[in-house]
Amino acid sequence: MSETNAQLSEKFIQKALNELREDDSRKQQALEQFREWISKQGHIQYCRTDDSFLLRFLRVKKYTNAAAFKMLENFLIRSQQYPQWFRNLTLNDNKMRELFENAYIFPLKERDENGCRVIMVRGSQIDTKKYTFDDVVRMLNFVILTLLEEEETQIAGFSYIFDHKDIHSDYISLFPLFDVKNYLNCVQNALPGRQKRGILINLPSFIAKLLEFVKGLLSKKLRDRGYFYSDDIQLENHIDKKILPSEYGGQVPIKEMMEEFKKIAENYQSRLQATDAINIDMEYVKKHNDNEIESFRTLEID
């Protein structure tokens, strides 16, 4: 019997069929093949094999099994390479709880018109002297991986709003280029979410060079899905105003959105803890798959 949510609305069933080639027969066959493949990989010492976990890889790769298998392996590798980004994703952690309570990163309560979860990042809400890039990424991954437990989110993906209002030049110090490059590699090759749209608003001029660096690391598809504005006037052209926080002209205050997400996170906490236990033999990986263990040289911007 399928472990997945049997209550998907017709909208998402059709979206999965039209965009991902998903139907019940293909889904069940792919899950069986996925589990069989995992069982034959001696270097994968522990991996979640529940439907919710495996389907996110199949869906993001539109049921191209070999690509889904490779992304899972990449995810296992990255999780072990960067435990500071992928492990202990819980609000029981002091720094995580503080960042969350500061409303630095949180999802909107409602989905956008395409069914995407919308994640908002507000640069002014983080203390750059107290927190690091690792803290930022762990918080972002916590939100992303929590929401990926929802079938609808696996199918529709994510939109992002990055608000840079009232940030200062020291905000850039949070983003060392070496770490940014490594994380963007993870996002594009190992993180099993459909990244549909990124809207950056209230951009100050001093962030321009960092943005150019980031754009150069993205695939053409992701670059084409980015929108960059020096103010927030254009935001409503991308995201329906009514789903925005009331602080941005919408109907629901940020505090209520955060409380809603907190309930979702508590509901899925045991699944994220199970993800912590995943394990892969890194010595085997290094010996047989060196191309998956990148060693990036430090880059500098003139």
Side-chain angles (χ1 to χ4, degrees):
M1 181 178 292
S2 172
E3 302 164 10
T4 53
N5 183 357
Q7 303 303 315
L8 270 179
S9 69
E10 187 62 27
K11 171 185 173 180
F12 284 99
I13 291 172
Q14 284 301 312
K15 190 175 186 68
L17 176 62
N18 296 337
E19 298 183 14
L20 310 179
R21 306 184 303 147
E22 177 178 298
D23 58 35
D24 284 343
S25 176
R26 184 188 298 274
K27 180 165 65 176
Q28 294 310 315
Q29 182 179 28
L31 285 169
E32 290 172 10
Q33 293 169 343
F34 212 160
R35 292 190 180 100
E36 182 180 3
W37 178 83
I38 291 170
S39 71
K40 293 178 179 178
Q41 308 308 306
H43 60 295
I44 297 179
Q45 297 167 338
Y46 174 75
C47 177
R48 279 178 60 185
T49 57
D50 56 277
D51 287 4
S52 175
F53 185 72
L54 299 183
L55 278 171
R56 65 192 66 180
F57 296 96
L58 291 167
R59 284 167 167 157
V60 77
K61 291 303 180 182
K62 299 182 179 180
Y63 286 86
T64 301
N65 284 7
F69 298 169
K70 177 52 96 177
M71 177 168 268
L72 170 63
E73 187 175 54
N74 288 347
F75 179 80
L76 299 178
I77 291 169
R78 298 298 181 264
S79 296
Q80 202 145 317
Q81 271 188 304
Y82 304 111
Q84 69 272 29
W85 296 348
F86 289 96
R87 302 288 170 92
N88 194 30
L89 304 181
T90 172
L91 294 179
N92 293 327
D93 176 88
N94 288 337
K95 275 194 169 182
M96 292 274 285
R97 184 172 60 255
E98 289 171 1
L99 271 178
F100 178 72
E101 290 174 351
N102 290 342
Y104 174 54
I105 301 174
F106 62 93
L108 305 191
K109 186 174 182 179
E110 303 295 335
R111 298 176 183 273
D112 69 14
E113 72 277 8
N114 297 312
C116 297
R117 275 291 195 172
V118 182
I119 295 174
M120 176 166 270
V121 181
R122 300 193 301 158
S124 63
Q125 300 305 112
I126 189 168
D127 183 343
T128 58
K129 294 180 175 61
K130 184 174 184 178
Y131 300 101
T132 67
F133 181 78
D134 290 344
D135 299 323
V136 170
V137 168
R138 190 154 66 106
M139 188 67 212
L140 183 58
N141 282 349
F142 169 64
V143 174
I144 290 172
L145 291 173
T146 296
L147 296 176
L148 277 174
E149 295 296 339
E150 303 171 330
E151 281 207 78
E152 295 86 350
T153 304
Q154 294 178 13
I155 292 167
F158 296 96
S159 292
Y160 299 86
I161 302 170
F162 298 91
D163 184 4
H164 300 83
K165 185 178 181 180
D166 296 330
I167 68 166
H168 302 290
S169 57
D170 61 354
Y171 186 69
I172 296 177
S173 67
L174 277 173
F175 302 94
L177 303 187
F178 181 81
D179 293 330
V180 169
K181 183 168 185 176
N182 282 344
Y183 183 61
L184 288 177
N185 178 277
C186 289
V187 169
Q188 295 181 97
N189 297 302
L191 201 59
R194 303 185 72 197
Q195 312 298 341
K196 303 303 291 184
R197 180 168 49 172
I199 307 145
L200 288 76
I201 59 173
N202 296 314
L203 288 167
S205 58
F206 59 76
I207 209 169
K209 287 187 176 180
L210 177 60
L211 282 180
E212 288 307 309
F213 175 76
V214 169
K215 289 178 188 178
L217 298 174
L218 298 176
S219 66
K220 184 180 185 305
K221 180 185 288 186
L222 288 185
R223 284 199 304 272
D224 290 345
R225 293 176 178 177
Y227 303 89
F228 307 88
Y229 303 108
S230 60
D231 54 37
D232 59 6
I233 296 173
Q234 302 297 324
L235 180 58
E236 293 176 34
N237 293 336
H238 299 280
I239 303 292
D240 190 336
K241 184 176 181 178
K242 70 182 181 183
I243 75 167
L244 291 172
S246 57
E247 293 84 348
Y248 289 77
Q251 300 174 352
V252 179
I254 288 174
K255 185 176 181 180
E256 184 175 327
M257 293 184 175
M258 291 169 59
E259 287 302 313
E260 180 71 17
F261 175 69
K262 189 175 180 180
K263 294 175 185 176
I264 294 170
E266 289 171 352
N267 187 44
Y268 291 128
Q269 186 60 52
S270 62
R271 295 192 189 183
L272 264 66
Q273 289 174 339
T275 306
D276 270 2
I278 60 179
N279 192 25
I280 189 168
D281 183 347
M282 293 296 285
E283 289 303 315
Y284 175 94
V285 171
K286 290 176 182 177
K287 188 181 297 183
H288 294 86
N289 211 9
D290 285 342
N291 63 313
E292 286 303 327
I293 308 294
E294 290 87 358
S295 56
F296 297 120
R297 62 184 177 85
T298 303
L299 299 176
E300 294 181 350
I301 296 178
D302 294 331

